[in-house]
């Protein structure tokens, strides 16, 4: 996002410290983009000590909201009314909404002013049930994300093979399936913001 001239503001449901998943750090320690992110002292300080509380931010100050993945959001986002309401206001204000991997869990409680789920009738992807089974964490999750998105009426799609890069989008909503989808989903998100 910064390479395209965007200022990035890190926010979390409670603000303050946002723990970094050490398993993800280990799994992606050789990824050049991840290494650069982790080596950026200002970024890591913003994430590890001083995220903004999402509900304290103003919709009008942002072009979009993007939910990062990892398993943590599966516990932090469901039932979080301020996150759902902020995201609905962003979308209804004509802003971009994006998410990757488990990040689309931030969309499951988002209802538009007409009462419909944000994802209803939209092309969406996320970490699949098969991928969750493959990493052995299905039973550790509060619910299967793919199933929940389908139940909400999303047009769910995924790569033909587990771990393949896949991006799904409908107008200003863009989602990426898994870690391999992080860069292409971010690129699509940037494209959408630039078109607004």
């Amino acid at each position: 996002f910064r390479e395209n001239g965007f200022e990035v503001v890190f926010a979390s449901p409670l603000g303050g410290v946002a723990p970094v998943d050490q398993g993800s750090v280990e799994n992606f320690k050789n990824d050049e983009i991840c290494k650069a992110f982790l080596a950026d002292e200002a970024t890591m300080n913003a994430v590890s000590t001083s995220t903004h509380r999402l509900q304290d931010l103003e919709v009008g100050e942002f072009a979009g909201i993007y939910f990062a993945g990892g398993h943590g959001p599966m516990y932090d986002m469901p039932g979080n009314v301020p996150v759902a309401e902020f995201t609905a206001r962003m979308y209804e204000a004509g802003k971009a909404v994006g998410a990757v991997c488990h990040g689309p869990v931030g969309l499951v409680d988002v209802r538009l002013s007409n009462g419909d789920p944000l994802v209803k009738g939209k092309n969406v992807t996320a970490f699949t049930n098969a991928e969750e089974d493959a990493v052995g964490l299905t039973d550790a999750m509060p619910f299967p994300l793919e199933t929940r998105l389908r139940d909400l009426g999303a047009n769910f799609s995924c790569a033909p093979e587990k771990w393949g890069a896949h991006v799904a989008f409908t107008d200003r909503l863009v989602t990426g399936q898994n870690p391999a989808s992080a860069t292409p989903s971010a690129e699509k998100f940037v494209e959408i913001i630039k078109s607004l």
Side-chain angles (χ1 to χ4, degrees):
F1 300 128
R2 289 182 175 152
E3 288 175 8
N4 282 278
F6 299 129
E7 176 186 355
V8 176
V9 174
F10 292 97
S12 61
L14 301 177
V17 176
V20 176
D21 173 24
Q22 293 305 312
S24 293
V25 171
E26 177 62 26
N27 288 337
F28 296 97
K29 65 184 177 190
N30 296 320
D31 180 275
E32 293 303 319
I33 295 172
C34 291
K35 286 194 309 192
F37 181 85
L38 293 169
D40 185 318
E41 188 175 321
T43 295
M44 291 313 299
N45 184 54
V47 171
S48 64
T49 63
S50 60
T51 64
H52 295 272
R53 195 169 72 140
L54 187 62
Q55 66 197 57
D56 294 338
L57 301 177
E58 294 294 328
V59 167
E61 296 178 6
F62 299 94
I65 182 170
Y66 194 89
F67 293 95
H71 286 94
M74 291 293 293
Y75 296 91
D76 295 340
M77 298 299 171
N80 191 304
V81 174
V83 170
E85 289 177 346
F86 185 87
T87 305
R89 288 195 313 273
M90 289 287 288
Y91 190 79
E92 291 191 322
K95 313 292 183 163
V97 174
V100 67
C101 199
H102 288 87
V105 72
L107 309 175
V108 300
D109 290 328
V110 178
R111 297 296 182 272
L112 301 177
S113 57
N114 66 3
D116 284 345
L118 170 62
V119 300
K120 182 180 178 183
K122 294 186 178 70
N123 300 323
V124 173
T125 191
F127 204 66
T128 66
N129 294 348
E131 288 167 330
E132 205 71 80
D133 287 345
V135 298
L137 291 174
T138 298
D139 291 339
M141 295 298 101
F143 54 83
L145 182 54
E146 174 186 341
T147 301
R148 179 67 56 91
L149 291 166
R150 287 180 187 278
D151 289 348
L152 290 168
N155 298 326
F156 192 91
S157 63
C158 59
E161 300 290 329
K162 289 188 298 274
W163 318 117
H166 180 71
V167 176
F169 64 94
T170 300
D171 59 53
R172 292 172 287 106
L173 176 64
V174 59
T175 52
Q177 178 176 328
N178 50 33
S181 309
T183 296
S185 65
E187 290 169 344
K188 185 64 180 177
F189 188 73
V190 166
E191 178 187 319
I192 290 169
I193 288 177
K194 287 183 174 183
S195 74
L196 298 177

